[in-house]
């Protein structure tokens, strides 16, 4: 960094403007093979460190937006750039590396039922050839972060929904991703547990990870006052900082 850049980084507004983008979509569109257009004309930039809510009714395109980012779906128009990579130029064999740069959690947790909490998190490291020593160092650290160190030997069925989601979050963080994406992470949780999960996501964001959370939980979005991206019928109809779930003007 030059001294000018350092000076700019020290002042709030310029800092936000110069932060590098983790996600950029340029005119992105998705029309599924059956002819359904799930996204169109989506232009958005998410800089490193942001906490962003992606809101919209069921069917608005939130999950398709997320699938574009992990290249589970390819855009039928426009461009998608994640962590500096234009996903259209990514070779098939580079996709696993991209997905390690992106931690993802889902509404239904998706834990391995026969593995313990520790093993669920460890498995994500094992598949990438991480050493046993590194796994024994890293997994307890992650379980500590999500407040589950005392449950390391439990099976998912012995945990509450909120605890299972915490395991999923720990697992999503194993590769120290540039961005953590959560697709309706509180959709199966009661209000109190939902708040605990939000607090955890905020904490992870404060520690430096960019967080994108798709949700239609109005109460949470309204209380948090973060950046809101609103989708309606596949169009990005609102991109507003410190916003509420619904347009306020
Ligand atoms: N694989 C698919 N094939 C065809 N249409 C799909 C597919 N996946 C989603 N859709 C449609 O695309 C639209 C957006 O879906 P989705 O991205 O799942 O929205 P959300 O997550 O906001 O509920 C919906 O109309 C949905 O039915
Ligand atoms: Mg969805």
């Amino acid at each position: 960094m030059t001294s000018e850049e350092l000076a700019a980084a020290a002042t709030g507004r310029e800092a936000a403007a110069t932060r590098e983008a983790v996600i950029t979509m340029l005119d992105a569109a998705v029309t599924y093979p059956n002819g359904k257009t799930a996204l169109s004309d989506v232009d958005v930039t998410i800089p490193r460190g942001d906490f962003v809510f992606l809101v919209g009714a069921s069917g608005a395109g939130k999950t398709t937006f997320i699938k574009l980012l992990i290249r589970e779906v390819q855009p039928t128009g426009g461009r998608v750039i994640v962590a500096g990579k234009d996903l259209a130029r990514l070779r098939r064999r580079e996709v696993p590396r991209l997905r390690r740069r992106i931690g993802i959690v889902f509404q239904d947790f998706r834990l391995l039922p026969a593995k313990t909490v520790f093993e669920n998190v460890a498995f994500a490291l094992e598949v990438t050839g991480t050493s046993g020593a590194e796994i024994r160092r890293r997994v307890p650290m992650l379980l500590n972060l999500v407040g589950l160190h005392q449950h390391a030997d439990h099976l998912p069925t012995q945990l509450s929904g909120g605890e299972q989601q915490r395991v999923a979050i720990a697992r999503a963080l194993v590769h120290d991703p540039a961005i953590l994406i959560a697709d309706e992470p509180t959709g199966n949780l009661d209000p109190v547990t939902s708040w605990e999960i939000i607090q955890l996501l905020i904490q992870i964001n404060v520690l430096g990870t960019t967080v994108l959370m798709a949700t239609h939980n109005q109460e949470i979005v309204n209380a948090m006052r973060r950046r809101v991206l609103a989708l309606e019928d596949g169009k990005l109809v609102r991109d507003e900082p410190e916003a509420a779930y619904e347009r306020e003007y």
Side-chain angles (χ1 to χ4, degrees), residues 170-241:
R171 178 180 60 186
L173 294 174
V174 286
H175 296 296
D176 204 8
I179 177 161
L180 177 65
I181 297 175
D183 194 358
E184 314 234 16
T186 64
N188 283 347
L189 304 175
D190 62 67
V192 171
T193 310
S194 296
W195 276 110
E196 290 169 6
I197 293 298
I198 296 303
Q199 294 308 326
L200 178 58
L201 294 177
I202 294 282
Q203 187 192 346
I204 288 163
N205 176 245
V206 167
L207 292 172
T209 308
T210 310
V211 176
L212 173 70
M213 170 171 163
T215 186
H216 46 231
N217 188 323
Q218 303 208 13
E219 202 189 329
I220 283 175
V221 174
N222 289 339
M224 298 310 300
R225 290 277 154 180
R226 298 298 168 123
R227 180 175 177 189
V228 168
L229 303 177
L231 289 171
E232 232 174 76
D233 289 334
K235 300 246 188 226
L236 187 61
V237 294
R238 190 159 54 101
D239 178 357
E240 197 187 345

Side-chain angles (χ1 to χ4, degrees), residues 58 62 133 138 142 157 161 169 204:
S58 181
K62 304 182 296 296
R138 228 171 132 61
L142 287 160
T157 49
I169 291 170
I204 288 163

Side-chain angles (χ1 to χ4, degrees), residues 18 20 66 81 142:
T18 56
E20 94 201 69
I66 287 170
I81 299 152
L142 287 160

Side-chain angles (χ1 to χ4, degrees), residues 32-39 56-65 67 73 183-184 214 216 231:
Y32 283 110
N34 68 355
K36 169 75 197 176
T37 294
L39 287 178
S58 181
K62 304 182 296 296
T63 295
T64 302
F65 185 103
K67 286 182 172 173
V73 163
D183 194 358
E184 314 234 16
H216 46 231
L231 289 171

